[in-house]
Amino acid sequence: MIERMRTLLSPNRPWLHLVYLGFFFFAWLYQPPTIEQALVALAAMAGFVALYIFSLRRRDWTVYLGALAAGVLGYAFMPVTIGGAVYLVFAAAMLGWLPHSRLRTAGLVTVALAILSTAWLMQQPLFYVIALLILAAIAAAGAAMGARRQRQEAEGVARQRQASAQAAEAERQRIARDLHDLLGHTLSVVTLKADLASRLFDADPERARSELAEIQSISRTALAEVREAVAGLRDRSLDTAAHEARQHLEAAGLEVSLLLDAEGLTRAQSTALAMVVREAATNILRHAGARHATIRTGRNADGVELAVSDDGRGGARIGEGGLGGLAARIEGLSGRLSVDVAAADTGTLVSVWLPAGEGDSHA
C-alpha cells in the first residue's frame, strides 16, 4: 500500500500537475465571478479533470481529444478570466506526455499557434502571450521528461522482475539437479541392498539384518542431504563421495579401483566432482552390468581431471537430466564434461576437466 501511494505521488506521474489548475482562480481574488460564472467554471473544470485522468491513463488518441478540450476551455474562459490561459498550458503538457511522433509535434505547433492567436483575437498583450508560450513550452518539456522517467522506471521494474524470475528459475533448477543427483544414487543403493536383504532373509538372517541396518543409515543420510540441498547448504567432498561410491559398487559385486588426488580443489570444484562421481556410480549400478569400475583423478599445471570408467554394456550419453545437468554445472566452473560414446559392450568413460582451483577455500 505504501509503495502504491509512493508511485501515485511520484513527480513522474501526471496527476500531481493538476495542482496548477489553482492558477485559474487567482483572477477571482480581485474580480469575483457571479454565481453562474463560478458554477460553469467549476463544472467545466470537473469535466476537464475527468478527461485528463482518463486520457493520460490510456495514453492513446484520447490525449489529443483532451488537449483539444483544454484548448477550447482556454479560449472560452480567457475573455472572462485571465486564469483561463492555464488550460492552454495544460494542452501543451498533455501532448508532452505522449511518445515523440509527427502527430504530437503537429499538436504542439497547433497549441503554440493558438496561444499566438490570442494576441489578435482577444487583444492580449504581447508580453503576456510570450510568457504563456514559455510556460507552455516548459510544461510540455517537463511532461516529456516525466514520461521518459516513467518509462525508465517501468523498464527498471521489468528488469528487476525478470532478474527475480531468472534467479528463481536458476534456484529451481539447482534444487532439481541436486535432488536428482542425491536421490538417484541413494535410491539405487537402497534398491540394491533391499534386493540383497530379501534374498538373504532365509539363508543368512544376520547378513540380511545388517543390510537392512545399512538401508536405515543410508535413508537417514539421504534425508539430511535432501534438506541441505533444498537449503543450498551442502558442500560435498570429492574424497567422501568417491569412497562412498566405491563402497556401494563393491557391495554390488564390482571390483573398484580408486586412485584419488583431491588436494588443491576449491569447495565448488570438489562439490561438482563429487556429484559427477555419484551420478556416474548410480548409472553403473542401474544400467552398466559391469564387473569392474575405476575412479581416478590426475593433476597437472593447467587443472585437474576426473575419470570414472566401467567395463559394462556402454551406450551412455549426455542428456537433459543427470549428466546433462552436471555438464551445465561443470561449464559454470569453466570446465568440461564428456562421455565416451564408444560402441555398446565396451564400457563407459565419464571424464571431467576443471581449471586449477583458485581462492582460499579448499576441500
Side-chain angles (χ1 to χ4, degrees):
M1 185 64 177
I2 295 176
E3 184 62 28
R4 182 175 179 80
M5 289 298 298
R6 186 182 294 114
T7 299
L8 290 174
L9 297 178
S10 169
N12 298 332
R13 298 299 187 273
W15 328 122
L16 290 183
H17 296 182
L18 289 171
V19 299
Y20 297 121
L21 285 174
F23 290 112
F24 178 88
F25 303 104
F26 280 172
W28 289 8
L29 298 176
Y30 60 87
Q31 188 181 359
T34 64
I35 296 296
E36 292 78 6
Q37 289 175 335
L39 290 176
V40 170
L42 292 174
M45 184 173 292
F48 170 73
V49 168
L51 181 58
Y52 177 86
I53 293 175
F54 173 77
S55 62
L56 287 184
R57 283 180 63 89
R58 291 170 58 93
R59 302 284 176 91
D60 56 10
W61 62 270
T62 57
V63 175
Y64 294 100
L65 179 62
L68 176 61
V72 171
L73 289 175
Y75 262 78
F77 283 103
M78 282 182 69
V80 180
T81 172
I82 198 171
V86 74
Y87 284 111
L88 294 174
V89 175
F90 262 95
M94 292 180 72
L95 294 173
W97 284 102
L98 292 172
H100 176 71
S101 67
R102 292 182 179 179
L103 185 58
R104 188 191 74 163
T105 300
L108 290 171
V109 170
T110 301
V111 172
L113 293 175
I115 293 174
L116 285 172
S117 69
T118 60
W120 292 274
L121 297 179
M122 301 181 187
Q123 302 300 311
Q124 297 290 351
L126 185 59
F127 75 89
Y128 177 76
V129 174
I130 293 175
L132 197 56
L133 279 173
I134 293 174
L135 288 175
I138 292 174
M145 292 176 62
R148 183 167 60 252
R149 287 193 295 266
Q150 192 174 1
R151 287 192 295 270
Q152 290 172 346
E153 286 181 1
E155 291 171 358
V157 170
R159 284 194 297 269
Q160 290 177 354
R161 289 177 177 172
Q162 183 179 13
S164 298
Q166 289 175 344
E169 177 61 18
E171 180 66 4
R172 186 193 68 78
Q173 292 181 359
R174 180 196 67 78
I175 292 174
R177 287 196 302 266
D178 284 2
L179 291 180
H180 176 277
D181 296 339
L182 289 168
L183 294 181
H185 175 78
T186 301
L187 292 178
S188 295
V189 174
V190 167
T191 301
L192 174 69
K193 289 188 172 294
D195 289 342
L196 180 59
S198 178
R199 292 196 300 269
L200 294 172
F201 193 82
D202 294 325
D204 191 347
E206 289 299 323
R207 177 74 185 281
R209 280 193 289 270
S210 176
E211 294 295 335
L212 291 174
E214 286 193 36
I215 290 175
Q216 289 178 328
S217 176
I218 293 171
S219 300
R220 292 191 186 98
T221 301
L223 179 59
E225 288 179 336
V226 167
R227 289 171 176 167
E228 291 169 343
V230 172
L233 300 177
R234 180 143 178 90
D235 283 332
R236 300 168 184 85
S237 164
L238 172 59
D239 184 76
T240 301
H243 283 86
E244 287 179 351
R246 179 174 66 176
Q247 178 184 353
H248 295 150
L249 290 170
E250 288 178 342
L254 279 77
E255 295 181 6
V256 181
S257 299
L258 179 60
L259 304 170
L260 199 62
D261 177 9
E263 294 296 324
L265 295 173
T266 66
R267 286 195 178 94
Q269 290 177 329
S270 181
T271 296
L273 293 179
M275 301 296 274
V276 173
V277 168
R278 295 189 63 152
E279 177 65 20
T282 300
N283 289 338
I284 292 172
L285 287 171
R286 285 179 174 175
H287 312 297
R291 292 177 297 176
H292 186 272
T294 299
I295 303 171
R296 60 179 175 83
T297 59
R299 299 188 59 83
N300 54 39
D302 296 329
V304 61
E305 292 181 341
L306 166 71
V308 182
S309 61
D310 67 78
D311 60 354
R313 55 178 61 99
R317 63 184 181 85
I318 297 177
E320 295 183 354
L323 290 174
L326 289 171
R329 186 192 296 269
I330 295 297
E331 289 175 3
L333 297 173
S334 302
R336 59 180 178 270
L337 182 148
S338 61
V339 177
D340 187 347
V341 291
D345 300 323
T346 59
T348 299
L349 170 62
V350 177
S351 58
V352 177
W353 176 86
L354 285 173
E358 298 178 356
D360 298 329
S361 298
H362 295 83

